[in-house]
């Protein structure tokens, strides 16, 4: 091996840099060519490398704020609302004040630093303070100590973990391509080539659906006993929900390959059930009436209605919601079943490949997450 690990403060291995926000009332500070991130940009970000957020700032906005240009390879760490989102800058980038970004020195590998922080997110949160929301200060972050191996071993460790993440990223990209292909087929068959003679009806004319209902609180557990429980959007991953909570007294059920739609906070997140599961009041489950095997059509038909479904985010006082009555009254065109069957023949292999990839992604994530603490503690060593 390449030597003993040394305890180092983060401030000694990287420069800690904050961010800033230009005056939002000054239009000339915005819509420029400088990428600018907020923690929100990482809220649904699955990768490691990020190039931009929802908004850009101008050179004048940069000059008139405390935002700073971060070099390519900087490790971006959200330090409030919430603490612990992580990414690596794919190019020069700026952030708002919700970040404490780390620019590694010459003896620190940026990928190793990324994985080190990823392995210690809960610790970082524990070192944060605040009443309205917790925040990790720059001075605190600089003072936190961790064990670091030599630079060659850092790179070797990062290479092992990165190879797994590379495979995960590849499968995510492949899934996006496959979903885009299936969506294109749906649009061609059921939008562009739609027949004016198709029957007009309502959503329940084509689909059975179940509105979720939360079981008694005493039936929840984390031990894997009972049925997986999905309350709403917060439990949704990519295509298959994350199995976080189980219940021994399920009330409303969804079945394998049902299309799941969040019905509150927010309305319109979409997913697919992997197994028979309990759905709480934040979820509804849809399946094609005439043939449960037509789950690809169901998934993309609901996606095609998403603009109408998401309008209900504007309803209500605190947050939007969509009710059973709203779904019952939602108008749709009903294509002939033989056309739907032909679509399934062409699109189902694409959809099934997405499902297969999702299963493989989960296996790779488990492998990575098992290795991460062992590699970061030195319990498992690799040659540098």
């Amino acid at each position: 091996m390449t030597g003993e690990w040394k305890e180092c403060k983060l401030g000694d291995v990287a420069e800690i840099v904050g961010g800033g926000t230009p005056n939002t009332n000054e239009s000339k500070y915005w819509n420029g060519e400088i990428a600018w991130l907020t923690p929100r940009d990482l809220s649904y970000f699955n990768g490691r490398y990020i190039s931009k957020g929802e908004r850009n700032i101008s050179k004048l906005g940069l000059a008139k704020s405390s935002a700073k240009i971060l070099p390519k390879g900087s490790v971006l760490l959200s330090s409030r609302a919430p603490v612990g989102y992580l990414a690596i800058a794919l190019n020069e980038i700026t952030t708002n004040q919700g970040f404490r970004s780390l620019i590694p020195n010459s003896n620190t590998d940026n990928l190793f630093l990324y994985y080190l922080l990823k392995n210690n997110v809960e610790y970082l949160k524990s070192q944060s303070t605040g009443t309205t929301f917790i925040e990790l200060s720059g001075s605190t972050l600089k003072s936190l100590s961790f064990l670091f191996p030599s630079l060659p071993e850092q790179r070797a460790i990062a290479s092992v973990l990165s190879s797994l993440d590379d495979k995960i990223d590849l499968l995510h990209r492949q899934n996006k391509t496959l979903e885009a292909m299936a969506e294109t087929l749906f649009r061609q068959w059921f939008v562009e080539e739609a027949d004016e003679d198709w029957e007009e009806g309502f959503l329940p004319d084509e689909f059975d659906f179940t509105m979720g209902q939360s079981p008694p609180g005493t039936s929840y557990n984390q031990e894997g006993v009972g049925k997986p429980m999905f309350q709403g959007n917060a439990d949704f991953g990519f295509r298959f929900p994350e199995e976080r909570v189980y219940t021994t007294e399920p009330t409303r059920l969804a079945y394998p390959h049902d299309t799941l739609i969040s019905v509150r906070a927010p309305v319109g997140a979409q997913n697919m059930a992997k197994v028979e599961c309990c759905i709480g009041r934040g979820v509804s489950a849809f399946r094609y009436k005439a043939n449960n095997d037509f789950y690809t059509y169901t998934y993309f038909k609901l996606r095609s209605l998403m603009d109408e479904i998401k309008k209900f985010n504007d309803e209500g006082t605190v947050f939007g919601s969509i009710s059973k009555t709203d779904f019952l009254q939602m108008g749709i065109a009903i294509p002939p079943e033989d056309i739907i069957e032909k679509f399934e023949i062409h699109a189902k292999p694409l959809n099934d490949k997405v499902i297969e990839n999702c299963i493989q992604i989960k296996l790779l994530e488990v492998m990575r997450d098992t290795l991460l603490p062992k590699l970061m503690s030195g319990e498992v060593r690799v040659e540098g």
Side-chain angles (χ1 to χ4, degrees):
M1 293 300 171
T2 51
E4 294 301 316
W5 292 36
K6 296 180 181 179
E7 187 172 331
C8 302
K9 293 180 178 179
L10 287 180
D12 294 332
V13 301
E15 180 185 357
I16 312 295
V17 181
T21 302
N23 188 331
T24 54
N25 294 321
E26 292 287 350
S27 59
K28 57 189 175 182
Y29 294 169
W30 297 91
N31 301 317
E33 297 181 354
I34 301 172
W36 182 77
L37 288 182
T38 71
R40 178 180 173 181
D41 292 314
L42 298 184
S43 59
Y44 292 103
F45 182 71
N46 292 317
R48 285 161 296 160
Y49 297 93
I50 194 165
S51 60
K52 62 180 181 179
E54 289 184 5
R55 304 185 71 183
N56 281 7
I57 61 175
S58 66
K59 291 181 179 178
L60 185 59
L62 177 68
K64 295 293 185 178
S65 72
S66 56
K68 298 176 179 63
I69 293 287
L70 300 165
K72 175 182 177 180
S74 298
V75 179
L76 315 174
L77 169 68
S78 68
S79 54
R80 70 183 194 190
V83 173
Y85 287 157
L86 283 159
I88 299 173
L90 187 61
N91 41 253
E92 287 190 344
I93 209 163
T94 64
T95 73
N96 75 349
Q97 59 275 21
F99 283 85
R100 301 292 177 193
S101 300
L102 297 90
I103 304 173
N105 63 26
S106 58
N107 293 316
T108 308
D109 181 76
N110 68 330
L111 259 177
F112 176 85
L113 185 57
Y114 167 85
Y115 286 116
L116 176 74
L117 296 173
K118 185 179 180 72
N119 188 50
N120 287 281
V121 167
E122 292 307 314
Y123 175 63
L124 296 176
K125 290 178 180 178
S126 75
Q127 300 303 301
S128 304
T129 58
T131 52
T132 306
F133 52 79
I134 62 170
E135 181 171 7
L136 182 62
S137 70
S139 58
T140 297
L141 187 62
K142 289 177 184 178
S143 68
L144 299 182
S145 294
F146 298 95
L147 291 173
F148 283 79
S150 65
L151 183 57
E153 191 170 355
Q154 288 180 40
R155 289 171 175 163
I157 290 170
S159 178
V160 171
L161 295 167
S162 185
S163 66
L164 293 171
D165 271 332
D166 286 342
K167 293 176 183 177
I168 293 169
D169 291 345
L170 178 62
L171 290 171
H172 276 300
R173 291 197 301 272
Q174 188 178 91
N175 278 356
K176 289 180 180 179
T177 300
L178 291 166
E179 289 210 336
M181 292 169 65
E183 191 167 18
T184 298
L185 286 175
F186 182 93
R187 176 167 290 278
Q188 178 184 341
W189 286 47
F190 301 108
V191 179
E192 296 170 2
E193 298 177 7
D195 194 318
E196 292 182 358
D197 294 332
W198 286 355
E199 180 185 349
E200 295 292 326
F202 297 93
L203 201 61
D205 294 328
E206 261 198 313
F207 305 101
D208 289 322
F209 71 97
T210 302
M211 302 295 289
Q213 179 179 327
S214 300
T218 54
S219 73
Y220 294 171
N221 68 86
Q222 300 282 350
E223 304 302 321
V225 177
K227 292 191 181 297
M229 168 70 190
F230 304 116
Q231 277 283 27
N233 175 63
D235 296 326
F236 282 8
F238 181 83
R239 184 58 79 94
F240 290 141
E242 299 293 331
E243 298 178 8
R244 295 180 178 175
V245 177
Y246 283 73
T247 178
T248 53
E249 298 180 35
T251 48
R252 304 284 173 81
L253 295 175
Y255 298 94
H257 299 133
D258 279 0
T259 291
L260 306 180
I261 302 293
S262 67
V263 297
R264 60 206 297 264
V267 176
Q270 186 175 5
N271 218 305
M272 181 178 284
K274 180 181 179 182
V275 295
E276 185 175 307
C277 56
C278 177
I279 52 174
R281 60 179 180 165
V283 182
S284 58
F286 292 80
R287 68 201 67 88
Y288 187 70
K289 273 180 176 292
N291 191 329
N292 289 342
D293 289 336
F294 288 178
Y295 52 81
T296 301
Y297 172 74
T298 303
Y299 186 85
F300 287 98
K301 181 63 171 277
L302 267 295
R303 176 176 283 192
S304 74
L305 298 170
M306 204 51 69
D307 286 345
E308 186 173 352
I309 291 171
K310 287 185 176 180
K311 287 179 182 177
F312 289 87
N313 281 310
D314 300 326
E315 304 294 331
T317 53
V318 179
F319 51 77
S321 63
I322 186 169
S323 68
K324 181 177 182 179
T325 301
D326 296 323
F327 282 129
L328 290 172
Q329 296 174 348
M330 193 167 290
I332 58 170
I334 304 176
E337 192 171 324
D338 63 321
I339 296 178
I340 296 173
E341 185 173 7
K342 290 177 182 177
F343 168 77
E344 282 287 336
I345 291 171
H346 288 82
K348 186 175 181 291
L350 302 174
N351 193 30
D352 286 351
K353 180 61 177 173
V354 172
I355 293 170
E356 179 186 327
N357 284 351
C358 285
I359 294 170
Q360 183 66 19
I361 286 169
K362 180 57 64 179
L363 291 173
L364 290 167
E365 287 176 341
V366 169
M367 187 184 302
R368 177 201 63 199
D369 294 344
T370 301
L371 274 174
L372 180 60
K374 296 179 183 296
L375 288 168
M376 286 298 153
S377 67
E379 178 183 345
V380 173
R381 300 289 295 270
V382 292
E383 288 287 351

